[in-house]
Amino acid sequence: MAGQDDLGPSGSTMAEEKKSSKPPISPLKNFFAGGFGGVCLVFVGHPLDTIKGVRGLYKGMAAPIVGVTPMFAVCFFGFGLGVKLQQRTPNEVLTYPQLFAAGMLSGVFTTAIMAPGERIKCLLQIQAASGEIKYAGPLDCAKQLYREAGIRGVYKGTVLTLMRDVPASGMYFMTYEWLKHVLTPQGKSVSDLSVPSILFAGGMAGIFNWAVGIPPDVLKSRFQTAPPGKYPNGFRDVLRELIREEGVMSLYKGFTAVMLRAFPANAVSEV
C-alpha cells in the first residue's frame, strides 16, 4: 500500500499539519507488514473472540489465520489506494473525513476474504460448543458448504460483513491516524512516537472500530450459523427476531469480551 513512512504499517498520508518528506513505502512492504500484523491480531484476539459466543478458545482459529495474511495485506492496500485516489499531489495531507473514506474502501476490499473465513469460523465454534462433529476442519467445512449450496453457501453473510467492515474500517483508520497526531509532541514527527504510544493508538482504534461493528457482527454471526431457509429475507429477519425476543441491547451481545479483545489485538497489529 502506497503512502508515507511516518504512519507505521498503514503507510498512509498522515492528517497532520506538517507534510512528510520521506519516500513512499512500497506496496510489497505494506503487504508483508499488514499480513504479519494480522497474524498477531488473530493470535492475541482469537481466544477472547470465541468467549463472546462459545468457549472454544482457539477452536476455529485455523480459518482466520489462513485468511488473515492476505486479508490484512489487502486491507492496507485498499486504504492506501483510497488515500491515493483522493490526493491531488503525492504529499497532500488528507482531512479526517477523507481518511474515513479511505478506510471504508479497505473494508470493501477485505470482505471478499473475510466473509467465507468468518462463516467457517462461526460454524466450527458452534460445532465445538454442541459436541456434534460435522466438519473435520476448515477445509472440510468449506467443501461441504460448497457441495450443499455452491459459492453462495460459502459466502453467506457477505452483505452483513460489508455492513460491519465498511464503516468499522473507516472508523479504525481515521481514529488511528487522529490519535497518532494527538500523541505526537509539538515540533516532532509521527515517526518519533514511542512504542507505547503506537500501542495505545492501535488499541483505542480497535475499540472505536468494534463500537461501530458490534451490531452488524451480532446479526452476521446469527445469520451465518442459521439453518438454510431460516431467514428468507436476510438480515432484516435476523434483526426483527433479535429485537422481538431479546430487545435492542441484544445487538451489543458480547460487548465486554469484544472490547477486552479489541485493545490488545489491535495494539499488537500496529507495532
Side-chain angles (χ1 to χ4, degrees):
M1 182 178 68
Q4 302 299 314
D5 273 335
D6 62 354
L7 288 181
S10 67
S12 73
T13 298
M14 179 65 181
E16 59 183 345
E17 296 175 4
K18 182 171 62 177
K19 293 182 181 179
S20 170
S21 59
K22 296 184 178 181
I25 296 176
S26 72
L28 186 61
K29 286 183 180 178
N30 278 287
F31 183 92
F32 285 112
F36 181 74
V39 171
C40 293
L41 184 147
V42 172
F43 186 79
V44 172
H46 187 79
L48 283 168
D49 182 48
T50 61
I51 289 173
K52 77 182 180 187
V54 297
R55 298 187 179 273
L57 292 183
Y58 281 98
K59 289 286 186 182
M61 184 174 170
I65 278 287
V66 169
V68 81
T69 299
M71 187 274 291
F72 260 67
V74 167
C75 174
F76 286 115
F77 171 79
F79 179 58
L81 178 62
V83 168
K84 270 189 167 295
L85 289 173
Q86 297 179 85
Q87 286 179 319
R88 288 166 293 186
T89 61
N91 291 326
E92 182 183 359
V93 176
L94 297 187
T95 64
Y96 292 115
Q98 286 176 314
L99 290 170
F100 184 86
M104 290 175 68
L105 181 63
S106 79
V108 175
F109 273 65
T110 57
T111 296
I113 301 171
M114 204 72 171
E118 292 212 350
R119 164 94 155 123
I120 292 167
K121 182 191 75 170
C122 289
L123 290 172
L124 291 177
Q125 288 175 353
I126 293 296
Q127 174 178 274
S130 67
E132 298 178 9
I133 306 300
K134 181 180 180 182
Y135 309 112
L139 187 58
D140 181 57
C141 182
K143 287 179 179 177
Q144 289 196 45
L145 289 173
Y146 184 79
R147 190 161 51 242
E148 291 168 3
I151 197 68
R152 289 174 64 89
V154 178
Y155 275 87
K156 182 179 179 181
T158 296
V159 172
L160 281 165
T161 305
L162 279 168
M163 289 174 62
R164 180 195 68 182
D165 288 353
V166 169
S169 295
M171 180 62 72
Y172 174 83
F173 281 107
M174 182 183 71
T175 305
Y176 179 60
E177 304 298 347
W178 171 68
L179 283 171
K180 287 201 300 180
H181 178 59
V182 168
L183 294 170
T184 301
Q186 190 171 7
K188 296 284 187 179
S189 168
V190 173
S191 60
D192 297 326
L193 277 178
S194 64
V195 170
S197 294
I198 295 172
L199 283 170
F200 179 77
M204 289 304 298
I207 286 177
F208 278 90
N209 170 91
W210 278 105
V212 172
I214 287 178
D217 185 64
V218 169
L219 296 175
K220 178 190 72 67
S221 296
R222 178 168 288 210
F223 181 70
Q224 287 184 320
T225 56
K230 181 175 182 181
Y231 300 115
N233 295 313
F235 74 89
R236 289 172 295 177
D237 285 349
V238 184
L239 180 62
R240 289 193 199 100
E241 181 183 86
L242 267 176
I243 293 177
R244 183 177 64 249
E245 296 180 359
E246 303 177 43
V248 175
M249 292 309 296
S250 63
L251 292 172
Y252 280 89
K253 232 183 235 184
F255 179 86
T256 302
V258 170
M259 290 305 169
L260 287 172
R261 166 190 181 269
F263 190 93
N266 285 278
V268 298
S269 74
E270 293 295 348
V271 176

